[in-house]
Amino acid sequence: MQLHFSSSTRSITISSSSISKGQCNNNGGFGESMKIKVGSPRISYRSLFYTILILAVFLPFVFILTAVVTLEGVNKCSTFGCIGRRLGPTLLGRTDDSERLVKDFVKILHQVNGEEVPQGLKLPESFSQLVSEMRSNKYNARQFALILKGMMERSEREIRESKFAELINRHFAASSIPKGIHCLSLRLTDEYSSNAHARRQLPSPELLPLLVDNSYHHFVLSTDNILAASVVVASAVQSSPEPGKIVFHVITDKKTYAGMHSWFALNPMTPATVEVKGLHQLDWLTKENVPVVEAVNNHNGISDYYHGNHVAGANLSNISPRKFASKLQARNPKYISLLNHIRIFLPELFPNLDKVVFLDDDVVIQRDLSPLWDIDLNGKVNGAVETCRGDDEWVMSKTFKNYFNFSHPLVAKTLNPDDCAWAYGMNIFDLRAWRATMIRDTYHSWLKENLKSNLTLWRLGTLPPALIAFNGHVHPIDPSWHLLGLGYQNATKIEDVKKAAVIHYNGQSKPWLEIGFEHLRPFWTKYVNYSNDFIDHCHI
């Protein structure tokens, strides 16, 4: 058998091998043969060859590029389109220019950073105006950078000015008397002059012996704010399991005395005992006995310092808002009030008492304080919460260096900047131990030194001289007795407020002011008697 392929490979002829070509068979015909047609091939050998050649060259590169891009994050793509967008520029030899553009622009910004913005440069008022001007004007990168710098400097300047304006406004708000509280004082003073019940003796004659009975718990409160005093007394009485053992000694000034007396005469805190004392009733408390306070009121420039223009002469461009706020707080007029200094005279004010708890008028008592009288002060005079350690770094991080000017040679020579400060506003005082010390004289002598140095030893109120005078006479008590800072920072944890025995709204944001912190105010307002006619009529 023989096979014959055509030249185009489209047909195959099969013939018998025993019969020669052209030989006839017995029947007079040719030998046996068969022709088979083959269908046309779809792919030529040439096309197949080139296809295999291209794939052999191209596939290794595809494999390598796919592996590299996958390692760079192509696996985050969920579609072929995404992978194509990532692979396309790489396969075509193109890369993303955004990174290079950013580097070039940062270089220009760095160059412009050391330049002054031209005085006459017109700055857009908004970002959209900037975009609009960039479209219409052919700015180069340097011009754009200068405009951007000018806009940011203007914004920073405006924000800074607004911050200082806010601090000034808050200072005046904190130093002023709200209309409702002023109304309350006037109405109660008028009631004192016209209503015999408002003038009745406090306490009643049969309770007078309790004022000097050391078996009772004596609290001292010095204030000219009637509403605040009512909250302090009401919270103490309501928080005590034995309110009948509480005696409150409320000290106020002459102008507030009638109104304060009227309030507690018309709103008795039975079964507690309340006494109201006026500074004008203390015969021994004369100007001669209090030369420092007299000097503070009459010293040249002191009145202007506390009541004058707090912005004039202040270099606001070189002071931080936080430091400026601290300076403003130190210039509160209450710091030259005798009511604020009167606590240094407690042994003379109460010669028959052994122990008292002194309270500021911006506190609220939430727990029974009678255990304070059982604390052994180990011969110390002042039981106080230390403020140099605690969870709240803003409030509980105060040492002497926070209050005193240690660049002054007298301060540097006498005091230790790392000594721990303590809280004024809820203190248990052992008056017997106090009378054996020179605390009052030390307090006065340092006040005089500060006046002589034109208030350069310290700036903030009555705590600094007290820190010096009581130095070595302080016994630390548990911090849960006294929680501070509710009046100058709003980050106080509500859980901590609820657990504290006494919460203190020290700072500008008093709860009776509109600038008080809303979420902390309810702990104070719950003790305000809003059903009282005087409070209602004054729209408090």
Side-chain angles (χ1 to χ4, degrees):
M1 181 183 290
Q2 294 179 344
L3 299 177
H4 297 279
F5 294 89
S6 68
S7 59
S8 62
T9 68
R10 293 184 180 182
S11 64
I12 304 173
T13 302
I14 306 173
S15 60
S16 173
S17 59
S18 63
I19 301 175
S20 60
K21 185 178 179 182
Q23 184 179 2
C24 296
N25 62 16
N26 296 329
N27 295 327
F30 295 99
E32 293 181 355
S33 66
M34 182 175 59
K35 188 176 183 179
I36 300 173
K37 288 186 178 181
V38 180
S40 301
R42 296 184 181 181
I43 302 175
S44 66
Y45 288 134
R46 181 178 297 175
S47 298
L48 184 61
F49 172 76
Y50 286 123
T51 300
I52 295 173
L53 182 61
I54 291 172
L55 289 175
V57 174
F58 184 70
L59 281 176
F61 287 100
V62 172
F63 174 77
I64 294 170
L65 288 174
T66 303
V68 171
V69 177
T70 300
L71 291 174
E72 291 178 349
V74 166
N75 56 329
K76 296 179 181 177
C77 292
S78 59
T79 65
F80 285 110
C82 173
I83 297 176
R85 288 192 296 273
R86 294 289 299 274
L87 285 174
T90 306
L91 295 176
L92 297 175
R94 296 198 299 265
T95 57
D96 189 1
D97 290 336
S98 61
E99 185 175 345
R100 180 177 58 80
L101 290 173
V102 170
K103 289 182 179 178
D104 291 342
F105 191 61
V106 169
K107 186 184 296 184
I108 295 172
L109 289 176
H110 183 70
Q111 293 171 355
V112 170
N113 188 43
E115 300 181 27
E116 293 289 335
V117 177
Q119 292 289 336
L121 183 63
K122 186 178 179 181
L123 300 175
E125 295 298 325
S126 64
F127 180 76
S128 57
Q129 185 180 346
L130 173 64
V131 173
S132 177
E133 291 189 4
M134 287 298 296
R135 288 175 178 171
S136 58
N137 299 318
K138 301 298 183 182
Y139 293 130
N140 59 35
R142 182 179 173 281
Q143 290 171 324
F144 173 74
L146 278 172
I147 291 174
L148 195 62
K149 180 182 180 183
M151 291 180 67
M152 294 190 68
E153 287 181 349
R154 181 183 62 191
S155 297
E156 290 173 357
R157 192 163 51 247
E158 290 174 351
I159 292 171
R160 185 178 177 83
E161 290 172 356
S162 298
K163 184 63 178 178
F164 282 118
E166 177 195 355
L167 292 173
I168 288 289
N169 292 334
R170 289 181 68 85
H171 172 74
F172 287 127
S175 304
S176 63
I177 301 173
K179 182 179 178 181
I181 293 179
H182 183 62
C183 165
L184 181 65
S185 181
L186 292 178
R187 283 181 173 269
L188 287 168
T189 300
D190 181 65
E191 195 73 12
Y192 184 84
S193 63
S194 59
N195 186 344
H197 290 288
R199 295 192 303 273
R200 69 183 180 87
Q201 184 176 344
L202 285 178
S204 56
E206 65 273 15
L207 297 178
L208 287 176
L210 301 185
L211 299 180
V212 293
D213 191 334
N214 282 298
S215 65
Y216 283 74
H217 302 140
H218 294 265
F219 294 89
V220 179
L221 172 64
S222 175
T223 180
D224 60 355
N225 187 327
I226 298 172
L227 184 65
S230 73
V231 168
V232 175
V233 177
S235 64
V237 172
Q238 293 180 36
S239 301
S240 173
E242 295 183 284
K245 293 199 69 175
I246 290 178
V247 179
F248 255 96
H249 306 269
V250 181
I251 304 172
T252 190
D253 56 15
K254 186 175 183 179
K255 66 179 176 59
T256 314
Y257 173 79
M260 189 76 74
H261 188 105
S262 293
W263 175 265
F264 287 107
L266 299 174
N267 301 279
M269 301 304 300
T270 309
T273 303
V274 178
E275 172 195 30
V276 178
K277 284 186 175 185
L279 294 177
H280 61 288
Q281 296 173 328
L282 305 174
D283 297 335
W284 60 269
L285 196 64
T286 63
K287 293 178 182 178
E288 290 73 25
N289 287 338
V290 196
V292 174
V293 176
E294 181 66 15
V296 167
N297 284 303
N298 295 327
H299 189 277
N300 184 30
I302 296 300
S303 181
D304 287 341
Y305 177 79
Y306 287 100
H307 295 283
N309 188 337
H310 301 322
V311 179
N315 188 358
L316 299 184
S317 60
N318 292 329
I319 187 173
S320 68
R322 180 175 176 179
K323 188 169 288 187
F324 183 66
S326 177
K327 287 180 177 293
L328 284 179
Q329 186 177 349
R331 296 175 75 163
N332 193 314
K334 74 176 185 178
Y335 293 131
I336 56 174
S337 165
L338 180 54
L339 281 175
N340 205 41
H341 292 271
I342 196 66
R343 66 191 86 185
I344 203 66
F345 298 103
L346 287 177
E348 290 80 12
L349 283 167
F350 306 102
N352 298 309
L353 295 181
D354 296 336
K355 274 188 178 181
V356 299
V357 168
F358 183 88
L359 299 170
D360 276 351
D361 64 0
D362 53 355
V363 306
V364 173
I365 292 89
Q366 303 186 124
R367 205 168 73 215
D368 177 29
L369 298 187
S370 60
L372 288 174
W373 274 264
D374 299 326
I375 294 177
D376 184 2
L377 298 182
N378 295 318
K380 304 295 185 181
V381 173
N382 180 3
V385 169
E386 292 184 322
T387 57
C388 63
R389 59 184 68 89
D391 295 334
D392 192 334
E393 295 181 0
W394 175 256
V395 178
M396 305 296 286
S397 60
K398 304 293 190 299
T399 59
F400 276 30
K401 64 185 174 187
N402 294 104
Y403 297 98
F404 298 100
N405 174 20
F406 276 89
S407 63
H408 194 286
L410 179 61
V411 172
K413 180 179 70 174
T414 311
L415 305 177
N416 181 356
D418 297 321
D419 278 352
C420 189
W422 44 267
Y424 225 2
M426 197 291 291
N427 306 82
I428 175 78
F429 287 117
D430 185 334
L431 299 185
R432 288 179 302 176
W434 190 338
R435 293 184 186 102
T437 68
M438 301 292 290
I439 289 175
R440 189 188 71 175
D441 294 337
T442 304
Y443 183 92
H444 283 167
S445 65
W446 276 90
L447 274 178
K448 290 177 181 178
E449 288 294 337
N450 198 31
L451 287 171
K452 277 193 230 176
S453 68
N454 198 24
L455 303 180
T456 57
L457 302 186
W458 67 81
R459 292 286 189 184
L460 185 60
T462 54
L463 178 57
L467 290 174
I468 301 173
F470 285 99
N471 199 16
H473 300 286
V474 178
H475 177 78
I477 62 176
D478 193 277
S480 65
W481 284 112
H482 188 186
L483 179 66
L484 297 106
L486 278 70
Y488 67 84
Q489 63 101 10
N490 62 359
T492 305
K493 297 179 182 177
I494 296 298
E495 296 77 15
D496 293 340
V497 176
K498 292 177 179 178
K499 290 187 294 186
V502 174
I503 55 175
H504 195 170
Y505 292 84
N506 57 312
Q508 291 182 323
S509 301
K510 304 299 184 188
W512 56 83
L513 298 175
E514 291 187 7
I515 61 174
F517 300 123
E518 289 292 336
H519 65 297
L520 299 177
R521 182 178 284 128
F523 294 95
W524 184 85
T525 56
K526 67 186 289 187
Y527 295 105
V528 176
N529 182 11
Y530 289 104
S531 63
N532 181 274
D533 289 340
F534 292 99
I535 289 179
D536 182 45
H537 292 161
C538 288
H539 306 291
I540 293 176

